[in-house]
Amino acid sequence: MEDAKLTEMERLVLKELVNGGSNKIIAQKLFLSEKTVKNHLSSIYKKLNVKNRTNAAVKCIESPLLMLG
């Protein structure tokens, strides 16, 4: 997981995901389109080697260093 270099925007999207935000809410908060949020989530899943938002959130909670860059 040390190879999971998330961009600043990916970290922001992941933070909102962990806080329970839907794609629509994340998009509104970060001034993005829902499609852009979905693209960021796909990239996050690939980098974290997870299949869905629940697994990404759990991985983030278990490994808070992910959010430090």
Side-chain angles (χ1 to χ4, degrees), residues 47-64:
K47 289 178 180 182
L48 298 183
N49 195 30
V50 297
K51 294 187 189 279
N52 58 50
R53 63 194 305 119
T54 302
N55 295 131
V58 168
K59 199 161 208 176
C60 181
I61 291 166
E62 290 177 348
S63 304

Side-chain angles (χ1 to χ4, degrees), residues 14-43:
L14 184 56
K15 178 181 174 193
E16 293 300 329
L17 181 145
V18 169
N19 289 331
S22 65
N23 290 358
K24 183 176 183 176
I25 296 298
I26 294 169
Q28 290 172 346
K29 282 189 173 184
L30 299 179
F31 303 101
L32 303 170
S33 71
E34 284 186 65
K35 175 68 174 154
T36 300
V37 170
K38 289 178 185 180
N39 289 340
H40 283 304
L41 288 173
S42 292
S43 179

Side-chain angles (χ1 to χ4, degrees), residues 5-15 30 40 44 47 67-69:
K5 301 281 188 201
L6 300 179
T7 66
E8 181 64 26
M9 186 55 71
E10 288 169 345
R11 286 193 295 275
L12 291 172
V13 169
L14 184 56
K15 178 181 174 193
L30 299 179
H40 283 304
I44 291 166
K47 289 178 180 182
M67 299 311 290
L68 297 178

